[in-house]
Amino acid sequence: MTVALFTLGGTISMAGRAAGSVGVVARLTGRDLTAAVPGLADLGEEIEIHDVEAMPSSSLTFAQVLEVVDAASRAVAAGARGVVVSQGTDSLEETAYLADLVWPHPEPFVVTGAMRNPTLAGPDGPANLLAAARVGRRDLGGLVVLDDEIHAARWVRKQHSTSTSTFGSRDVGALGQVIEGRVRVLVRPDRPAPLPWPDAGRLAARRVALHVVSLEDDGAQLDGLADTHDGLVVAGFGVGHVPATMAPRLGALAERIPVVLTSRTGGGSVLSHTYGAVGSEVDLLSRGLVNGGLLDPYKARVLLRLLVAAGADRAAIAEAFATRG
Ligand code: ASP
């Protein structure tokens, strides 16, 4: 059996130094990475290596991720029993969700990375790569595997800036674990049908902003946003609240572009009919904002960008968030 490995860079591959710099940069290839994994050969799988990029994940783009998904799709159609993508952890929660939204196959699409680079004591990359390669369970969609935990791309968040156990799924927990090399899937989430493949040109032309609400925020920096952006995700307080002074601004924006309401808390859902003050969820939804449900702001932005690129109207966007949010 074959596992297709796509490498995009990130800490897992950072063992080089740029001239005149003290910091590490991505340098290792897929061959280097796999050679450093004790036990990988014992899996009896052929690892088909595709070195795509060697960059920090903070600079990845939607287009680059979709190119990898497309190539991974071809690898699966050619017989690979699964896909592993190695990349930086910084944007991993977004790239894995983007892939999950469009991944059309039952074969697993697993994203992994590392928190300690290969020049440090105890680098976690080799163990993460081995665990990711072991995951062959079908019909789970996009997965994130680090620290011997298997997370759904839909729920997972990077929760700590340096810890090797940084990835967690607060609302549901891990779907499974890798225990003594055995993959144990404990929870199988419902998986909505994949979205249609995005048109590259339309996707590149669509911009979606994210605004995190904070104390005494009147939203003045949102003025003019509808002239430059095609959608907005608002990360509101708590269950989806903003200062009263910001509410009319968001309502005016929602008349021109889709505005999705999410929570900045990092867990739980936006509500729909509990609080009635100006700037509360009831007020904002009545002004035309779309309820983002349980989707965190970063994932909501990924979904909204695909939807506006597909030309979805407000009703279709509300329906998509009702299904996936
Ligand atoms: N800055 C790195 C990146 O995302 C961090 C990591 O890989 O963990 O590329």
Side-chain angles (χ1 to χ4, degrees):
M1 299 283 259
T2 300
V3 176
L5 170 65
F6 294 82
T7 71
L8 291 174
T11 292
I12 191 169
S13 68
M14 291 193 184
R17 292 192 192 277
S21 167
V22 292
V24 289
V25 294
R27 191 198 66 185
L28 300 184
T29 63
R31 185 175 292 275
D32 300 325
L33 293 183
T34 52
V37 182
L40 190 60
D42 301 341
L43 290 186
E45 311 263 17
E46 185 196 339
I47 309 292
E48 176 190 286
I49 296 171
H50 305 255
D51 287 316
V52 184
E53 302 283 353
M55 60 194 295
S57 71
S58 44
S59 295
L60 285 171
T61 65
F62 278 62
Q64 285 170 317
V65 174
L66 289 172
E67 273 172 33
V68 169
V69 177
D70 194 27
S73 200
R74 280 185 265 120
V76 163
R81 69 107 177 112
V83 172
V84 174
V85 176
S86 67
Q87 66 155 88
T89 60
D90 287 349
S91 63
L92 196 153
E93 64 199 273
E94 288 161 81
T95 59
Y97 183 55
L98 172 56
D100 180 56
L101 282 172
V102 295
W103 183 243
H105 303 285
E107 286 81 0
F109 186 103
V110 183
V111 189
T112 191
M115 294 301 290
R116 292 198 196 117
N117 74 62
T119 70
L120 299 175
D124 51 330
N128 290 340
L129 198 53
L130 181 60
R134 287 187 192 278
V135 176
R137 293 301 164 84
R138 296 161 70 88
D139 297 315
L140 290 172
L143 299 171
V144 170
V145 174
L146 281 96
D147 205 28
D148 281 340
E149 291 189 342
I150 304 163
H151 292 269
R154 157 74 180 77
W155 299 107
V156 75
R157 298 291 312 272
K158 184 174 181 178
Q159 300 176 326
H160 192 282
S161 61
T162 58
S163 168
T164 54
S165 60
T166 178
F167 284 93
S169 303
R170 183 165 166 186
D171 283 323
V172 290
L175 301 186
Q177 300 169 31
V178 181
I179 303 168
E180 293 184 315
R182 182 175 165 214
V183 174
R184 304 291 312 275
V185 174
L186 309 173
V187 181
R188 277 193 171 266
D190 283 344
R191 210 177 158 241
L195 292 177
W197 190 257
D199 175 83
R202 288 176 62 95
L203 186 65
R206 298 293 182 274
R207 305 177 77 199
V208 172
L210 169 61
H211 179 83
V212 181
V213 176
S214 55
L215 189 67
E216 207 179 330
D217 185 354
D218 61 5
Q221 64 269 56
L222 297 173
D223 286 350
L225 190 90
D227 298 327
T228 56
H229 287 72
D230 306 282
L232 168 67
V233 172
V234 177
F237 293 123
V239 297
H241 294 174
V242 305
T245 48
M246 185 190 276
R249 274 199 164 97
L250 292 179
L253 271 175
E255 286 174 12
R256 297 186 56 197
I257 58 173
V259 181
V260 174
L261 182 62
T262 64
S263 172
R264 70 174 203 172
T265 58
S269 178
V270 162
L271 295 183
S272 59
H273 56 267
T274 297
Y275 294 94
V278 176
S280 69
E281 84 282 0
V282 169
D283 175 47
L284 295 174
L285 298 176
S286 76
R287 293 177 194 263
L289 275 70
V290 172
N291 190 326
L294 283 150
L295 266 191
D296 73 63
Y298 308 103
K299 294 191 203 291
R301 181 176 168 273
V302 172
L303 174 57
L304 183 57
R305 183 150 173 216
L306 290 193
L307 294 171
V308 295
D313 62 15
R314 195 193 168 285
I317 289 169
E319 170 64 26
F321 275 91
T323 308
R324 297 167 191 275

